[in-house]
């Protein structure tokens, strides 16, 4: 049986020279690869008590929704600013060049709910750190954060020091 990393396409020198881009579309385009990725992420949740799955736009949706479905849990979308129709809360975070802002519905987390966060990749950790702030602002507790891939060389996990963080595939570099 193949490993998840065998389904991930590596593209050298993209978006700039010296970077190896880890392309998740090849996982999504292969039925066995997609099933293996989702099943592997679900295994990271063994023994974790939680009420809700939250995921970031857009690849956190791709992986988070089937995890929520398989485990019989609701899914909470965390989106880019201006995309949600009801009352929201927001958090800004820094990017390599500039900043961004994410939002979630004010009623998407009930105080005391235990949440897991799902995304495809952790790089610098800014986006997912902003997600933790939103959940906690609503009175929720982040009990686990899972990723399909991690670029350990960018030290994003360091920003998430107090959280239980796990990744299916960890790459040493950037």
């Amino acid at each position: 049986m193949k490993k998840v990393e065998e389904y991930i396409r590596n593209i050298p020198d993209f978006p700039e020279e010296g970077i190896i881009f880890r392309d998740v579309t090849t996982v999504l385009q292969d039925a066995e690869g997609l099933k293996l990725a989702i099943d592997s992420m679900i295994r990271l949740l063994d023994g974790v008590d939680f009420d809700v799955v939250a995921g970031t736009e857009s690849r956190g949706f791709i992986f988070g929704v089937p995890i929520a479905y398989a485990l019989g849990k609701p899914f909470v979308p965390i989106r880019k600013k201006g995309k949600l129709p009801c009352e929201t809360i927001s958090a800004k975070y820094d990017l390599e060049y500039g900043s961004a802002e994410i939002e979630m519905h004010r009623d998407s987390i009930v105080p005391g709910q235990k949440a897991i966060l799902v995304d495809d990749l952790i790089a610098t950790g800014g986006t997912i750190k902003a997600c933790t702030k939103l959940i906690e602002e609503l009175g929720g507790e982040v009990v686990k954060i899972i990723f399909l891939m991690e670029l350990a060389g960018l030290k994003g996990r360091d920003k998430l020091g107090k959280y239980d963080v796990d990744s299916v595939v960890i790459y040493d570099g950037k």
Side-chain angles (χ1 to χ4, degrees):
M1 186 162 119
K2 288 172 76 172
K3 296 179 180 181
V4 172
E5 50 265 45
E6 294 177 69
Y7 290 97
I8 298 167
R9 178 173 32 202
N10 297 307
I11 303 171
D13 299 323
F14 183 83
E16 58 188 50
E17 192 171 330
I19 301 292
I20 299 174
F21 184 82
R22 309 298 181 173
D23 183 14
V24 72
T25 61
T26 49
V27 175
L28 303 174
Q29 294 169 347
D30 187 291
E32 290 177 10
L34 179 58
K35 182 171 181 1
L36 180 59
I38 298 298
D39 290 347
S40 297
M41 293 177 85
I42 288 172
R43 277 193 295 281
L44 297 177
L45 299 171
D46 284 348
V48 178
D49 177 33
F50 67 97
D51 305 305
V52 62
V53 177
T56 58
E57 184 173 358
S58 65
R59 290 177 303 253
F61 295 4
I62 292 170
F63 293 101
V65 169
I67 290 169
Y69 175 80
L71 299 177
K73 304 290 183 178
F75 180 80
V76 173
I78 302 174
R79 301 209 57 196
K80 296 171 185 162
K81 184 170 178 59
K83 300 291 185 179
L84 293 170
C86 295
E87 187 179 352
T88 61
I89 62 169
S90 65
K92 290 184 179 179
Y93 61 98
D94 292 328
L95 300 169
E96 188 175 355
Y97 301 105
S99 64
E101 193 168 355
I102 54 171
E103 295 180 319
M104 62 191 297
H105 281 138
R106 186 168 289 283
D107 63 357
S108 61
I109 297 288
V110 176
Q113 272 189 320
K114 295 177 182 174
I116 63 155
L117 274 165
V118 177
D119 207 351
D120 71 321
L121 173 75
I122 180 170
T124 62
T127 304
I128 210 75
K129 179 67 175 172
C131 293
T132 65
K133 289 179 183 178
L134 292 177
I135 290 169
E136 291 167 353
E137 183 178 332
L138 293 173
E141 176 189 359
V142 176
V143 294
K144 181 104 178 179
I145 304 171
I146 62 170
F147 303 96
L148 181 63
M149 300 178 290
E150 179 174 347
L151 303 178
L154 293 175
K155 303 194 183 300
R157 189 182 283 250
D158 293 352
K159 286 186 182 164
L160 305 171
K162 76 175 197 175
Y163 301 100
D164 182 3
V165 178
D166 218 341
S167 304
V168 175
V169 179
I170 299 174
Y171 296 102
D172 291 330
K174 300 176 181 180

